[in-house]
Amino acid sequence: MRTQMLVEEAIEALSSQVDDTAIIACSGGIDSTVAAVLAHRAVGSLLHCVYVDTGLMRKGESAEVSQMFSEMGIELKVVKAAERFFHSLSGVTDPEEKRKIIGEQFIRVFEEEQSVCGANYLVQGTIAPDWIESGGGERDVIKSHHNVGGLPEDVDMTIVEPLREFYKDEVREIARHLGIKSSERQPFPGPGLAVRVLGEVTPERVESCREACHIVETKIREYAENGECELPWQYFASLLPVRSVGVHGDTRVHGETVVVRAVASLDGMSARYSPIPHEILAKISTEITNSLKGQVNRVVYDITHKPPGTIEWE
Ligand code: XMP
């Protein structure tokens, strides 16, 4: 009942705010999908949905997102932009710089799309933690989330943020109410795997991280479905630029490190690490080192709560 009211209010607000062509970046994540569905209900074909394939998404994600939008009857334009993202990230290792570059590239891709469709409004799926953690008011900047901190000041569109006051659990509730397929999907950061590849973001390192994330996601989901562990709120892998010695057959090799992260949380503002059983972690470790032979020879598990840690490593 309350959710229905929130949905109606949001659609009404969008209808009165947006009176011309609008554009939205759809990542397939819950926030941007909810924002897109609400905006589509409010303004119909005035809304142009664009999916930017940054080359930083998870395994199979681009195809899944296209399919989900097509099933919802919303047209989605896919822009292939991986090359320019990797090019602009070349040599960059600072996490804040990565976010800013990605935010800027996103906006530039958008400006190009804007000139194609003539949009005057930019709809964004920003939720409360995004701007609170980006230094809203007196708070310190914890992380500049790409949809806030990376936004250049010269954007020539009116920004519309229908989910600005909501927390993740509320957005999830709205997504369920709207029948959105990705409503139970775990959160995924806007800058994608770039913030899970510590150090330089190269296509090869992203590919290793993508594979490790895929293994962690599928294994943990599988064990949770069998009742062997609880399904964490978020669970993934990050690639660390820490090289250690390992052995392959008779040879000693230097490989990088994968850290597995799984947390329980309500809204991402605080979190507790998930006590995944050791047998499951051992299977994940073996699968990662087997799949990424020569690149990764060590897997560690993160047992830090938030605070003092954050959920992502960057
Ligand atoms: P942290 O790592 O700050 O993450 O504890 C809290 C939640 O936010 C996600 N996250 C991001 N989401 N842009 C986003 O849209 C970002 O730059 C970003 N950084 C972290 C993170 O995955 C977790 O769910």
Side-chain angles (χ1 to χ4, degrees):
M1 191 63 201
R2 181 178 171 267
T3 312
Q4 174 64 23
M5 240 173 62
L6 292 178
V7 166
E8 282 168 15
E9 277 170 18
I11 294 175
E12 225 175 275
L14 279 160
S15 311
S16 60
Q17 263 176 301
V18 180
D19 57 4
D20 200 354
T21 312
I23 189 167
I24 181 167
C26 299
S27 65
I30 182 166
D31 304 342
S32 62
T33 309
V34 169
V37 172
L38 292 174
H40 187 257
R41 291 202 181 173
V43 302
S45 59
L46 279 181
L47 182 73
H48 290 254
C49 298
V50 177
Y51 173 87
V52 183
D53 187 342
T54 59
L56 302 167
M57 309 306 278
R58 285 168 293 183
K59 200 167 178 171
E61 198 154 15
S62 301
E64 279 167 28
V65 177
S66 296
Q67 164 119 16
M68 177 174 70
F69 272 76
S70 125
E71 283 170 10
M72 293 191 297
I74 303 177
E75 204 175 308
L76 181 73
K77 177 170 180 185
V78 176
V79 181
K80 293 202 180 296
E83 220 170 281
R84 71 195 267 178
F85 277 84
F86 281 118
H87 180 72
S88 62
L89 286 165
S90 163
V92 178
T93 56
D94 179 75
E96 283 305 292
E97 207 181 321
K98 282 183 193 173
R99 278 193 167 74
K100 292 227 154 79
I101 289 171
I102 291 168
E104 261 165 41
Q105 285 298 326
F106 252 101
I107 283 297
R108 298 302 162 218
V109 170
F110 264 49
E111 282 171 347
E112 288 162 26
E113 291 308 310
Q114 177 199 13
S115 67
V116 175
C117 70
N120 285 317
Y121 292 91
L122 175 63
V123 182
Q124 289 202 304
T126 317
I127 66 170
D130 296 340
W131 58 268
I132 292 170
E133 292 200 355
S134 292
E138 310 259 297
R139 291 166 196 264
D140 290 335
V141 175
I142 298 172
K143 282 175 189 175
S144 64
H145 283 214
H146 89 277
N147 39 3
V148 181
L151 198 65
E153 277 160 18
D154 59 348
V155 179
D156 191 18
M157 290 181 275
T158 306
I159 312 273
V160 182
E161 295 175 320
L163 308 177
R164 204 179 152 76
E165 302 305 326
F166 296 129
Y167 283 84
K168 201 85 199 181
D169 51 326
E170 296 170 310
V171 179
R172 198 168 296 224
E173 202 48 53
I174 296 175
R176 277 189 206 119
H177 183 82
L178 294 171
I180 292 172
K181 208 168 138 192
S182 64
S183 62
E184 307 311 320
R185 237 172 64 148
Q186 58 164 321
F188 185 61
L193 296 176
V195 295
R196 293 186 179 168
V197 170
L198 281 80
E200 191 178 359
V201 182
T202 62
E204 297 72 30
R205 296 189 74 228
V206 168
E207 193 48 47
S208 298
C209 181
R210 178 179 291 126
E211 190 55 30
C213 272
H214 177 68
I215 292 168
V216 171
E217 283 198 26
T218 39
K219 281 277 166 222
I220 290 189
R221 217 180 295 128
E222 190 182 304
Y223 285 107
E225 274 164 16
N226 290 339
E228 291 175 57
C229 68
E230 290 215 354
L231 188 68
W233 188 75
Q234 200 169 359
Y235 43 107
F236 58 90
S238 291
L239 182 69
L240 310 182
V242 176
R243 287 192 178 272
S244 63
V245 178
V247 271
H248 277 174
D250 295 335
T251 349
R252 286 164 80 81
V253 284
H254 245 147
E256 289 194 304
T257 306
V258 160
V259 57
V260 177
R261 181 79 163 137
V263 296
S265 178
L266 188 61
D267 54 13
M269 297 293 280
S270 63
R272 297 191 70 76
Y273 85 82
S274 298
I276 304 284
H278 275 273
E279 309 80 70
I280 300 177
L281 290 173
K283 291 202 171 107
I284 288 174
S285 165
T286 305
E287 193 161 335
I288 290 175
T289 46
N290 280 344
S291 298
L292 299 172
K293 260 195 191 104
Q295 288 142 277
V296 170
N297 59 5
R298 209 165 289 263
V299 177
V300 298
Y301 188 56
D302 183 352
I303 55 167
T304 323
H305 302 310
K306 173 184 179 177
T310 50
I311 296 175
E312 303 288 345
W313 271 51
E314 280 196 343

